[in-house]
Amino acid sequence: MRRHVLWAVSLLLTVTFFNAQSLAQQTRIRIAIVGLDHDHVWGLLKDIANEPQANLVAIAEANPALVKKAKSQIAAGVSFYSDYRTMLDEAKPEAVFVTTENDRHLAILRECARRHIHYSTEKPMATNAAEAREMERLAAKAGIKLMVNYWNAWVAPSYELFHRVKSGEIGPVQRIIVQYGHQGPKEIGISKEFGDWLYDPAKNGGGAIMDFGCYGAEWALWLKGRPSRVYATTRKLKTDQHNQVDDDATIVLDYPDATVSIEPSWDWPYGMDRVYVFGSKGSYLATQNDLFFRQSAQSSENLNGERLVVPPVGRETSNPISYMIERIRDNKPIDDPLSAQLNVQVMEILDAARESARTGRAVAVK
């Protein structure tokens, strides 16, 4: 009798274990990727692999070489499609991560909204503000999450800087300087497929002014809000490359009580990811890995100031995959600086910057 009881308990535990495994498998969020011609996709695939609640079900890409590369980096069982619409219908993902040319973002969002599929795209949101506003409208109407992915949203110095500035530790913000960029896409060795559209003015919307200018606009809106007007200049410093887009830009945002200088460039002699924020009581400098504070009137051998100890970010805010899953599961809105509302304004600033560079005049932001 005792043997039968033990056998029954063992069977019950085994069934419970496999049922729990099956339930966990069923409740993982079904994720799909659209496009492999944006080099950021390879980092996203790693984030998906490291997220237990993510289930990569499909990838849409027509380029055989990129499909072959993806298959070598992911688990077996992921379906591949040449047409993303067919993928949306057959694979039925709950969330789609878009890594394509900027000028495709709206069309893909439109198809996702029709099917009530949550949507994330790499920055910038679109090629212009009109497209971005339509994306926001469609997502709101469909009741889906819409996220714009920036790498600086997942590092601890960014959040610590934001909270310290908003708490008033350095007083009212009077000046922000954003220096983002690198030696150039060609120089750092991006893929041919990425370069084919990154240097295309229609597919990308511009050069460095779009690629890195969006970060500066994002920081300005997140920390200071909407500016009153924009003045910008662009350059093609690498004349021997005969590129159709700018490789260097300067964008100045005017506020009644502050100035923001954005310096996006593909001509830095090394990678740059610096955000300076100045107030009457001191300044902060945030990079990808560090945060520095310098008090007002403080003399320092280190011009950057004192390196601060920054608490690590939580797992759900450490990468875009975990964040989107948490937002879907708990039905929470997408926060700034990833939100559609903020990123529509990013595109309005970039529209004004490109118009200013074209005309040589400051452009009011309405």
Side-chain angles (χ1 to χ4, degrees), residues 16-256:
T16 301
F17 172 76
F18 282 107
N19 282 343
Q21 274 195 325
S22 177
L23 181 62
Q25 180 74 16
Q26 292 172 3
T27 58
R28 291 161 64 198
I29 297 296
R30 296 171 61 82
I31 290 174
I33 298 288
V34 177
L36 295 172
D37 58 357
H38 191 311
D39 286 356
H40 290 186
V41 71
W42 311 111
L44 286 176
L45 290 177
K46 291 179 182 178
D47 289 335
I48 293 172
N50 292 329
E51 173 48 63
Q53 297 304 311
N55 180 20
L56 179 62
V57 296
I59 295 175
E61 174 56 58
N63 184 312
L66 292 176
V67 170
K68 181 179 180 181
K69 180 178 179 180
K71 285 183 176 180
S72 71
Q73 298 188 23
I74 62 175
V78 176
S79 300
F80 282 82
Y81 296 83
S82 59
D83 183 85
Y84 75 90
R85 298 173 189 84
T86 304
M87 181 193 74
L88 297 179
D89 289 333
E90 295 184 2
K92 299 188 183 305
E94 296 169 79
V96 161
F97 284 77
V98 177
T99 43
T100 68
E101 306 95 319
N102 296 337
D103 67 339
R104 295 183 62 198
H105 293 177
L106 171 57
I108 297 168
L109 184 280
R110 183 175 286 114
E111 298 298 329
C112 289
R114 287 174 180 167
R115 298 163 175 81
H116 300 280
I117 298 170
H118 302 293
Y119 177 104
S120 173
T121 187
E122 294 303 289
K123 61 78 194 170
M125 187 174 181
T127 58
N128 58 65
E131 292 176 357
R133 284 191 288 268
E134 179 65 2
M135 291 171 70
E136 181 184 31
R137 186 191 71 81
L138 290 168
K141 181 179 179 181
I144 62 173
K145 312 294 182 189
L146 169 53
M147 181 172 81
V148 181
N149 183 27
Y150 293 83
W151 71 258
N152 64 335
W154 315 115
V155 297
S158 294
Y159 281 101
E160 187 69 8
L161 171 66
F162 172 78
H163 291 300
R164 285 174 175 264
V165 168
K166 289 299 182 179
S167 70
E169 291 186 12
I170 59 172
V173 172
Q174 298 172 333
R175 181 176 295 275
I176 300 172
I177 301 173
V178 185
Q179 298 173 327
Y180 269 36
H182 47 51
Q183 302 95 310
K186 295 176 181 178
E187 286 75 9
I188 67 171
I190 65 167
S191 67
K192 177 186 180 301
E193 294 82 3
F194 193 17
D196 283 346
W197 68 261
L198 199 61
Y199 286 91
D200 186 310
K203 294 180 178 181
N204 189 21
I209 196 170
M210 289 288 286
D211 190 26
F212 288 111
C214 62
Y215 286 106
E218 168 221 19
W219 271 115
L221 291 163
W222 198 26
L223 294 174
K224 187 65 180 174
R226 193 174 179 84
S228 57
R229 64 176 190 166
V230 178
Y231 178 75
T233 60
T234 56
R235 298 281 186 273
K236 293 182 183 178
L237 298 180
K238 293 173 180 171
T239 54
D240 59 318
Q241 292 187 2
H242 305 290
N243 297 319
Q244 297 182 62
V245 294
D246 64 279
D247 55 41
D248 189 83
T250 301
I251 308 170
V252 178
L253 309 184
D254 280 347
Y255 293 81

